[in-house]
Amino acid sequence: MQQKQQTSPKNTRPEPNRRFSIAPMMDWTDRHYRFFARLITRRALLYTEMVTTGAVLHGDHARFLGYSPEEQPLALQLGGSNAAELAQCAALAETAGFAEVNLNVGCPSDRVQNNLIGACLMAHPELVADGVKAMRDACAIPVTVKHRIGINGRDSYAQLCDFVGQVHQAGCTTFAVHARIAILEGLSPKENRDIPPLKYEVVHQLKRDFPQLEILLNGGLTDLDAMQQHVQQLDGVMVGREAYHNPYFMADVDRRFYADETPVLSRLEVMAQMRPYIARHIEQGGVMHHVTRHMLGLFQGLPGARHFRRQLSTAIHQTDQPLALYDQLLQDMEQRLQGRDCERQPA
Ligand SMILES: Cc1cc2nc3c(=O)[nH]c(=O)nc-3n(C[C@H](O)[C@H](O)[C@H](O)COP(=O)(O)O)c2cc1C
């Protein structure tokens, strides 16, 4: 872990490279998923799930701030709006060695709205600006914001610019923008990720109007060629669901986004390299499913993908020898793929 600097100069740590990042996702991008994803891409910036300031300050630090060093570069995402609490959490994020601390202004859930967390904060740019300023004053790592292009009742481009302008004035220079509005009443969080239309052109316009800012595009991205097109004008892309459901598409990310030609692991090699991690997790009293539930999409699109998914989602609950099941499954997949996994390139 990095050491806290004695002189504590403000926000002097190097910026992580954000050309490709995996979006924060509650219940999905936990430390097990992140360890797994890191075997597929060495360079993508990873985000934790959102952790509320209350959980960080009053909860179990190991649970909310713990990670494996292999996951770096790794950003902590916070949910909250109380400037003093955000500042304390940002300082803790720095001490824990995170490469960045990000504030969630995009989550539309009712539960968080009641606590002034998430997308509802788009109606309170001054509160977000105060929070960002307090966080920046409290830590040397970069402070960033993830937000929507608007919320119902506050969805004009002028209001978006007002939001970004005020938060920028407070010192934030990196904005991850989910290119749809959130509708705060009447839609579930899941519907809020699908129903409001995607408006990539709004994010491109934002970059043209704020060229000095780092603008990252998020929402509905699944195709690497299209993502590369976006980064010709924007500073990076942030991918959520595709990175979870079809993780091996990221085997081409280091080459395409970072010009890093280091050979990538094949899917079978990824599976083999997860084995000691899983064994250690079990030795420490953990349950194998908590790790392997994140791997279900590893073989998507290849022979045996259904068998792999079934074994890890159903058969796993019917055995008291989960590692033996895993070893057998590795053999099964080797046979079913019959060399089709050797080319070390995504399907
Ligand atoms: C299961 C799930 C949980 C999510 N949790 C968070 C979260 O904790 N913080 C956040 O900012 N966004 C969260 N999101 C939203 C994603 O970060 C992302 O903005 C959204 O899924 C759109 O990107 P995508 O189309 O690439 O998935 C979540 C999305 C999903 C599917």
Side-chain angles (χ1 to χ4, degrees):
M1 285 199 189
Q2 294 172 2
Q3 293 296 307
K4 192 170 161 66
Q5 293 183 351
Q6 294 303 313
T7 51
S8 195
K10 301 301 171 219
N11 315 110
T12 50
R13 290 286 164 78
E15 300 282 335
N17 188 320
R18 304 186 179 90
R19 275 179 85 74
F20 185 100
S21 55
I22 302 183
M25 290 180 284
M26 293 278 270
D27 197 39
W28 288 10
T29 53
D30 65 11
R31 56 187 300 173
H32 304 313
Y33 169 79
R34 299 188 308 254
F35 186 91
F36 164 65
R38 184 55 81 214
L39 294 177
I40 302 173
T41 161
R42 298 159 64 240
R43 305 296 294 271
L45 175 62
L46 306 186
Y47 281 81
T48 66
E49 309 164 84
M50 179 186 80
V51 191
T52 64
T53 48
V56 173
L57 296 177
H58 310 298
D60 173 0
H61 274 197
R63 175 168 166 214
F64 294 114
L65 300 177
Y67 61 88
S68 309
E70 293 88 340
E71 295 167 36
Q72 291 282 12
L74 175 64
L76 175 71
Q77 188 188 53
L78 291 175
S81 54
N82 177 298
E85 291 174 5
L86 286 169
Q88 283 182 57
C89 292
L92 288 170
E94 179 189 335
T95 307
F98 287 96
E100 168 189 320
V101 57
N102 173 272
L103 180 62
N104 181 339
V105 189
C107 178
S109 145
D110 287 349
R111 218 157 35 94
V112 298
Q113 273 182 65
N114 298 335
N115 296 316
L116 264 185
I117 295 175
C120 61
L121 289 172
M122 293 213 65
H124 304 283
E126 67 300 330
L127 210 54
V128 177
D130 287 350
V132 161
K133 181 167 185 324
M135 289 163 79
R136 280 177 50 83
D137 287 345
C139 71
I141 54 176
V143 175
T144 67
V145 169
K146 177 169 181 280
H147 62 100
R148 298 272 184 147
I149 57 172
I151 49 176
N152 51 317
R154 200 187 151 86
D155 60 359
S156 72
Y157 184 64
Q159 285 164 323
L160 175 62
C161 290
D162 175 48
F163 175 83
V164 170
Q166 289 199 44
V167 178
H168 170 44
Q169 283 293 309
C172 179
T173 53
T174 301
F175 294 79
V177 193
H178 185 171
R180 48 165 67 90
I181 66 162
I183 296 178
L184 294 182
E185 298 89 28
L187 290 191
S188 68
K190 185 171 185 306
E191 289 168 330
N192 256 314
R193 293 192 285 267
D194 289 320
I195 292 178
L198 283 165
K199 296 191 173 164
Y200 293 149
E201 70 282 4
V202 172
V203 182
H204 281 267
Q205 187 61 47
L206 199 61
K207 176 66 190 176
R208 284 193 292 274
D209 289 333
F210 292 89
Q212 73 280 33
L213 300 185
E214 186 179 33
I215 303 285
L216 316 175
L217 178 68
N218 169 243
L221 298 169
T222 58
D223 178 75
L224 282 167
D225 291 336
M227 294 178 212
Q228 279 190 291
Q229 290 283 324
H230 285 297
V231 297
Q232 288 182 8
Q233 280 95 40
L234 303 172
D235 301 291
V237 287
M238 175 184 268
V239 180
R241 288 164 287 187
E242 187 70 3
Y244 192 81
H245 294 307
N246 181 25
Y248 201 74
F249 96 93
M250 295 184 295
D252 216 17
V253 158
D254 295 357
R255 185 178 69 79
R256 287 183 184 236
F257 291 87
Y258 297 89
D260 182 342
E261 300 284 346
T262 310
V264 297
L265 299 179
S266 70
R267 295 171 179 82
L268 291 170
E269 286 167 338
V270 169
M271 199 183 158
Q273 290 209 12
M274 285 302 288
R275 195 316 178 165
Y277 180 87
I278 295 166
R280 204 163 52 245
H281 177 67
I282 293 173
E283 262 167 43
Q284 291 165 353
V287 176
M288 180 164 110
H289 176 64
H290 291 168
V291 181
T292 53
R293 72 189 180 99
H294 299 302
M295 299 171 60
L296 302 183
L298 178 59
F299 291 92
Q300 174 149 317
L302 288 185
R306 247 183 48 193
H307 173 66
F308 180 78
R309 181 177 280 277
R310 277 220 194 117
Q311 289 298 104
L312 288 187
S313 53
T314 311
I316 193 172
H317 299 297
Q318 293 150 4
T319 175
D320 54 4
Q321 299 290 329
L323 273 178
L325 179 138
Y326 193 86
D327 292 336
Q328 180 61 49
L329 189 54
L330 183 53
Q331 280 185 26
D332 293 352
M333 294 311 293
E334 274 163 6
Q335 277 180 4
R336 287 184 188 227
L337 288 171
Q338 293 183 340
R340 279 197 57 187
D341 194 37
C342 294
E343 70 276 23
R344 293 168 180 248
Q345 287 297 324

